[in-house]
């Protein structure tokens, strides 16, 4: 067994932990008022069971505020420890570092050692490291709770200039969301910013907003701030530095990736805890110290969580089952895809949709994607992770690639380019097999009608053309990073054009086993408006991973989800039963992978559909395993085993629940 270390340092209290606290009746306004006025000297916590506010003095010389006072033992009341630790961290770092948040406590790194450095860069634009401190609990045998601190490394972009000043630099604000600055309730913290809307126009010094918060139809440009999203942050640097921007941004990206790498993250966490342990006297309250233990290691068997090594599934790369591997990348490089002899067509027609100004960059990327990057190696053995490329990896012929450029990043221009691609195919009597679409990270903030990717995808899918998007930010990755992105993209692309890269070596224990995936999708026309959630999108696979079909519920609100789910299951299971010619004596297992813990609504829909298909329940056998129940459905004459994800264990009636045993693992 390998030696593991968790980002978790146990907490203990040292000293006389019996202290005097105050208590008063709870109201939300009163709690807010107390924290605003006395947040630097007291910790306030609502006690839900008593509907009361408890205040704990944390600074020497202060007394409880509540009209009722009582003596408590902090060692026996761990419910207060998280708040006391956060307050101690704020006191320790106040005046030493910039503090961005009090819960979780977020401490920014030094501005002078930021990740973006250039003599021409003003001090108001920064990329800084940050440490985020929070608490977690581990429950030991016999119900004992072990509380600990976790420390996470972050990277934060900062644009500390108003929209009025940014517009003078030529930074566009139209179409982008803006924030206003709110004074922090705690003067030790940096000011907070609130999202108020998206700029639809500029009228002198006033920004006109759409999709705005109540009361913010307009905002003065000098009071508004752009979000420090990556694309906006990069745009500001490009306008300030010009040609020097690319190298500065690449170096900043490499530095940020290093911060997030395993070894550097572990070192940063250990350094932070060592600093707090050795150089800062953390106190929960005066005279009661907070003792931070070392990061939890698997050597500490009595308190380390139980671990289990699960064997990798065996992947099959040919119909005979003779070519196998437990690593997909190695297996497909060595053996080729499962369907290499039957996949058709071998010569693909690929349409590339991209903005005209990025055509050269996209062209270079497509060449790397198709032909591979044999000169880019990694690891101790200098392995070329994407040396073969999409064509050789999946045993294809050199494809026909045609570019269709757009004048801008608008949905209308992307749609026009897509229609042009389809028109060319129709005029010349051929079909596109895949469309590669260049997108940008910022597109995710656009609603459906103005999103270029959605516009493109809807046009191609109507003609049964698969679509694979690629972010411009991904194309700009360093070659050492890009090879991993291309590995994932090549696999996704092959699956989208109907290929089967591999199957699972599943030992069939029943005649038919279907894996039914239920998903959800939330639609919002804005970031500040309400979202509409749609659920029940369905995919069906066999137990070895073979894709069988997909279906989806009608576009219905959540309250009509059960009926839509019932009809979707009816179509899906009936279709597969006809395709596979199920016999009346066949045993059938239905495995449901769900996007959330199922409740009665899903269980009833599945049970109802099983009954209507002739899957009559005659007996039920249940057992608990990792908070799971397995329910057997016997039928006359057909029998089926139905499994679905569930976190809670219910009793009193048959339930459709999850098994975390071999069934789920194999699927």
């Amino acid at each position: 067994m390998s030696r593991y270390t968790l980002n978790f340092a146990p907490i203990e209290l040292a000293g006389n932990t019996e202290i005097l606290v105050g208590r008063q009746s709870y109201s939300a306004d009163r709690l807010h008022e107390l924290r605003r006025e006395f947040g630097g000297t007291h910790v306030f916590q609502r006690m839900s069971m008593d509907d009361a506010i408890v205040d704990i003095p944390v600074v020497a010389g202060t007394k409880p505020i509540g009209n009722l006072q009582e003596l408590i033992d902090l060692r026996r009341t761990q419910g207060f420890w998280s708040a006391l630790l956060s307050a101690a961290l704020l006191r320790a770092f106040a005046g030493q570092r910039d503090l961005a948040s009090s819960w979780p406590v977020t401490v920014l790194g030094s501005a002078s050692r930021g990740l973006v450095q250039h003599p021409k860069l003003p001090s108001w634009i920064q990329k800084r490291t940050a440490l985020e401190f929070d608490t977690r609990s581990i429950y030991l045998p016999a119900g004992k709770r072990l509380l600990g601190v976790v420390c996470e490394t972050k990277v934060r972009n900062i644009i500390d200039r108003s929209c009025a000043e940014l517009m003078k630099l030529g930074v566009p604000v139209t179409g982008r969301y803006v924030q206003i600055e709110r004074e922090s309730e705690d003067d030790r913290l940096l000011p907070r910013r609130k999202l108020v809307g998206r700029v639809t126009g500029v009228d002198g010094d006033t920004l006109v907003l759409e999709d705005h918060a109540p009361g913010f139809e307009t905002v003065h440009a000098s009071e508004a701030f752009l979000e420090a999203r990556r694309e906006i942050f990069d745009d500001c640097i490009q306008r300030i530095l010009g040609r020097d921007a690319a190298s500065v941004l690449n170096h900043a990206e490499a530095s940020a990736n290093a911060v997030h790498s395993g070894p550097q993250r572990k070192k940063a966490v250990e350094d932070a805890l060592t600093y707090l342990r050795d150089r800062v006297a953390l106190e929960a309250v005066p005279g009661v110290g907070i003792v931070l233990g070392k990061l939890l290691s698997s050597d500490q068997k009595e308190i380390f969580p139980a671990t289990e090594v699960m064997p990798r599934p065996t992947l099959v790369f040919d119909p005979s089952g003779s070519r196998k591997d437990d690593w997909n990348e190695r297996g497909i490089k060595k053996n080729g895809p499962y369907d290499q002899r039957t996949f058709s067509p071998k010569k693909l027609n690929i349409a590339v949709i991209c903005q005209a100004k990025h055509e050269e960059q996209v062209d270079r990327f497509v060449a790397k994607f198709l032909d591979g990057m044999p000169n880019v190696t990694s690891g101790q053995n200098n392995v070329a992770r994407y040396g073969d490329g999409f064509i050789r990896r999946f045993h294809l012929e050199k494809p026909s690639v045609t570019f269709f450029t757009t004048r801008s990043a608008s949905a209308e221009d992307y749609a026009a380019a897509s229609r042009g691609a389809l028109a060319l195919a129709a005029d010349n009597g051929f079909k596109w097999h895949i469309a590669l679409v260049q997108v940008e990270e910022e597109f995710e903030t656009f609603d459906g009608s103005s999103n270029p990717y959605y516009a493109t995808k809807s046009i191609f899918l109507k003609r049964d053309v698969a679509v694979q998007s690629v972010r411009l930010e991904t194309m700009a990755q360093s070659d050492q990073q890009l090879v991993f992105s291309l590995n994932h993209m090549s696999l996704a692309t092959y699956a989208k054009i109907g290929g089967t890269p591999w199957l699972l070596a599943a030992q069939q224990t029943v005649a038919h086993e279907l894996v039914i995936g239920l998903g959800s999708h939330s639609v919002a026309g804005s970031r500040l408006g309400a979202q509409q959630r749609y659920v029940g999108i369905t995919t069906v696979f066999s137990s070895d991973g073979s894709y069988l079909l997909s279906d989806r519920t009608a576009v219905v609100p959540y309250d009509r989800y059960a009926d839509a789910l019932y009809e979707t299951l009816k179509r899906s299971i009936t279709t597969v039963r006809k395709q596979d010619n199920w016999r009346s004596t066949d045993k059938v297992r239905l495995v449901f992978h769900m996007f959330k813990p199922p409740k009665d609504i899903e269980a009833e829909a599945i049970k109802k559909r099983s009954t209507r298909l002739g899957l009559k329940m005659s007996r039920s056998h249940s057992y608990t395993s990792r908070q799971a129940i397995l329910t057997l459905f016997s039928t006359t004459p057909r029998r089926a085993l139905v499994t679905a994800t569930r976190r809670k264990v219910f009793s009193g009636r048959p339930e459709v629940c999850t098994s975390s045993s071999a069934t789920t693992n194999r699927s």
Side-chain angles (χ1 to χ4, degrees):
M1 179 74 69
S2 301
R3 185 175 184 271
Y4 299 109
T5 300
L6 291 184
N7 181 9
F8 179 97
I11 300 173
E12 292 292 343
L13 298 184
N16 181 11
T17 55
E18 290 190 346
I19 62 168
L20 197 64
V21 301
R23 183 184 291 265
Q24 57 187 288
S25 298
Y26 168 79
S27 77
D29 291 340
R30 178 58 177 161
L31 180 59
H32 182 75
E33 178 186 343
L34 288 170
R35 285 176 172 166
R36 184 177 62 246
E37 186 174 354
F38 301 103
T41 58
H42 292 71
V43 163
F44 299 93
Q45 192 155 318
R46 179 188 178 185
M47 306 301 292
S48 300
M49 294 182 63
D50 302 330
D51 203 26
I53 300 172
V54 172
D55 65 87
I56 305 175
V58 293
V59 174
T62 57
K63 296 181 179 180
I65 298 173
N67 50 357
L68 297 176
Q69 297 184 4
E70 61 179 309
L71 194 66
I72 67 169
D73 187 350
L74 283 179
R75 189 170 279 111
R76 298 177 179 273
T77 52
Q78 284 190 331
F80 295 120
W81 288 18
S82 294
L84 291 172
L85 174 66
S86 295
L89 290 171
L90 287 176
R91 295 195 301 275
F93 286 111
Q96 307 296 320
R97 286 285 189 268
D98 290 331
L99 299 173
S101 169
S102 61
W103 194 283
V105 176
T106 304
V107 184
L108 298 184
S110 171
S112 62
R113 294 196 297 271
L115 304 183
V116 174
Q117 297 287 342
H118 193 277
K120 293 182 181 178
L121 276 181
S123 60
W124 52 262
I125 186 163
Q126 304 169 4
K127 184 185 286 285
R128 296 167 67 176
T129 58
L131 292 175
E132 188 176 277
F133 297 90
D134 207 343
T135 55
R136 294 288 186 273
S137 295
I138 292 177
Y139 290 90
L140 305 175
K144 182 180 178 182
R145 179 189 184 194
L146 181 65
L147 190 71
V149 60
V150 295
C151 177
E152 185 56 275
T153 58
K154 302 285 185 180
V155 172
R156 177 166 294 199
N157 295 333
I158 297 173
I159 302 176
D160 198 19
R161 279 296 181 269
S162 69
C163 289
E165 294 169 287
L166 293 180
M167 286 191 292
K168 293 178 183 178
L169 293 173
V171 177
V173 298
T174 303
R176 291 174 168 173
Y177 282 85
V178 294
Q179 305 167 312
I180 61 168
E181 205 163 79
R182 291 287 181 87
E183 185 178 351
S184 176
E185 294 179 355
D186 190 330
D187 57 12
R188 296 172 296 181
L189 304 179
L190 294 174
R192 296 181 300 112
R193 289 182 181 175
K194 174 187 176 182
L195 191 71
V196 293
R198 181 173 56 203
V199 180
T200 187
V202 180
D203 183 10
D205 295 331
T206 301
L207 305 180
V208 182
L209 306 182
E210 61 182 0
D211 183 25
H212 55 78
F216 286 95
E217 292 80 5
T218 62
V219 64
H220 201 280
S222 62
E223 298 174 351
F225 298 84
L226 285 179
E227 299 176 283
R229 297 170 62 93
R230 174 175 173 171
E231 66 275 10
I232 299 175
F233 183 84
D234 291 357
D235 186 28
C236 290
I237 290 182
Q238 287 165 357
R239 293 178 186 278
I240 295 170
L241 299 183
R243 294 181 179 178
D244 292 343
S247 61
V248 170
L249 290 172
N250 287 338
H251 181 268
E253 181 71 13
S255 300
N257 291 334
V259 169
H260 292 308
S261 68
Q264 285 211 23
R265 287 174 67 186
K266 183 171 183 288
K267 184 178 184 305
V269 170
E270 289 178 331
D271 289 348
L273 294 179
T274 299
Y275 171 79
L276 293 173
R277 195 181 295 119
D278 299 341
R279 299 180 57 185
V280 177
L282 286 180
E283 284 190 325
V285 297
V288 178
I290 298 176
V291 181
L292 301 180
K294 294 183 178 180
L295 291 178
L296 200 59
S297 167
S298 54
D299 295 339
Q300 302 165 274
K301 297 185 187 212
E302 66 283 358
I303 59 175
F304 194 82
T307 61
E308 179 182 355
V309 178
M310 297 180 63
R312 291 181 177 181
T314 300
L315 309 178
V316 180
F317 294 89
D318 73 314
S320 69
S322 59
R323 298 178 181 179
K324 299 178 180 179
D325 207 310
D326 61 0
W327 183 19
N328 56 359
E329 184 181 325
R330 180 178 60 201
I332 207 165
K333 285 181 178 179
K334 179 181 178 181
N335 304 301
Y338 177 88
D339 61 350
Q340 59 182 291
R341 295 185 179 181
T342 58
F343 179 81
S344 179
K346 293 291 187 181
K347 183 178 176 63
L348 301 178
N349 296 317
I350 302 176
V352 180
I353 310 297
C354 67
Q355 297 171 43
K357 64 181 180 180
H358 299 309
E359 182 177 4
E360 185 177 347
Q361 181 180 1
V362 176
D363 187 28
R364 291 195 300 269
F365 173 82
V366 172
K368 293 176 181 178
F369 170 66
L370 295 175
D371 301 327
M373 303 172 68
N375 297 325
V376 181
T377 60
S378 61
Q380 295 180 347
N381 298 324
N382 290 324
V383 177
R385 299 300 298 269
Y386 196 68
D388 45 359
F390 181 71
I391 298 173
R392 282 182 292 163
R393 176 169 296 188
F394 294 101
H395 294 219
L396 302 172
E397 299 175 10
K398 187 174 181 63
S400 172
V401 181
T402 308
F403 279 72
F404 299 88
T405 59
T406 72
R407 292 177 298 178
S408 70
S410 69
E412 293 78 11
D413 284 347
Y414 268 73
S418 304
R419 294 190 186 98
L422 293 174
L424 178 67
D427 292 343
N428 290 275
F430 69 90
K431 180 182 182 299
W432 298 113
H433 300 110
I434 186 78
L436 302 180
V437 184
Q438 170 257 310
V439 298
E440 298 179 37
E441 190 172 317
E442 187 179 14
F443 291 178
E444 292 185 356
T445 65
F446 297 173
D447 58 41
S449 60
S450 61
N451 191 306
Y453 174 62
Y454 292 154
T456 302
K457 189 172 184 177
S458 64
I459 291 171
F460 277 111
L461 289 183
K462 287 177 183 176
R463 300 291 185 89
D464 198 26
V465 178
V467 178
Q468 175 65 51
S469 65
V470 191
R471 292 184 181 182
L472 197 64
E473 291 80 7
T474 299
M475 299 182 192
Q477 288 178 336
S478 67
D479 286 348
Q480 294 294 333
Q481 293 177 280
L482 187 60
V483 290
F484 297 100
S485 298
L486 289 176
N487 265 328
H488 292 296
M489 178 181 167
S490 65
L491 182 62
T493 302
Y494 190 66
K496 286 184 177 182
I497 59 178
T500 303
W502 61 75
L503 293 181
L504 294 174
Q507 186 177 8
Q508 194 78 0
T509 57
V510 294
H512 308 283
E513 183 171 282
L514 302 184
V515 183
I516 301 175
L518 301 180
S520 70
H521 178 59
S522 296
V523 176
S526 69
R527 290 177 60 186
L528 296 174
Q531 289 190 340
Q532 177 67 58
R533 188 183 193 191
Y534 302 107
V535 293
I537 299 170
T538 309
T539 54
V540 182
F541 293 81
S542 65
S543 61
D544 61 3
S546 296
Y547 170 81
L548 298 177
L549 61 88
S550 68
D551 200 349
R552 65 191 62 215
T553 60
V555 180
V556 297
Y558 188 78
D559 56 4
R560 293 172 54 197
Y561 159 48
D563 294 335
L565 174 60
Y566 169 80
E567 292 299 327
T568 303
L569 292 174
K570 174 184 176 182
R571 289 193 304 269
S572 301
I573 297 174
T574 301
T575 300
V576 174
R577 181 165 65 176
K578 289 181 179 179
Q579 288 176 351
D580 291 357
N581 193 25
W582 292 1
R583 295 173 298 178
S584 61
T585 56
D586 288 347
K587 294 181 180 179
V588 181
R589 177 183 284 116
L590 307 180
V591 182
F592 290 86
H593 284 197
M594 306 185 74
F595 62 95
K596 70 179 187 67
K599 298 182 180 178
D600 292 344
I601 185 173
E602 290 89 1
E604 289 302 322
I606 294 170
K607 178 182 174 184
K608 180 180 177 183
R609 175 46 28 212
S610 301
T611 302
R612 293 289 179 89
L613 286 171
L615 307 180
K616 258 176 156 179
M617 182 189 301
S618 61
R619 64 185 175 86
S620 168
H621 171 69
S622 300
Y623 69 91
T624 58
S625 172
R626 300 178 195 164
Q627 292 187 324
I629 295 178
L630 190 63
T631 304
L632 294 175
F633 285 86
S634 284
T635 67
T636 306
R638 183 179 292 109
R639 288 185 293 174
L641 171 63
V642 182
T643 342
T645 303
R646 192 180 184 92
R647 289 181 185 169
K648 294 183 179 179
V649 177
F650 292 83
S651 59
R653 62 182 184 279
E655 296 287 353
V656 180
C657 303
T658 248
S659 165
S660 52
S661 61
T663 299
T664 308
N665 297 337
R666 185 171 66 247
S667 305

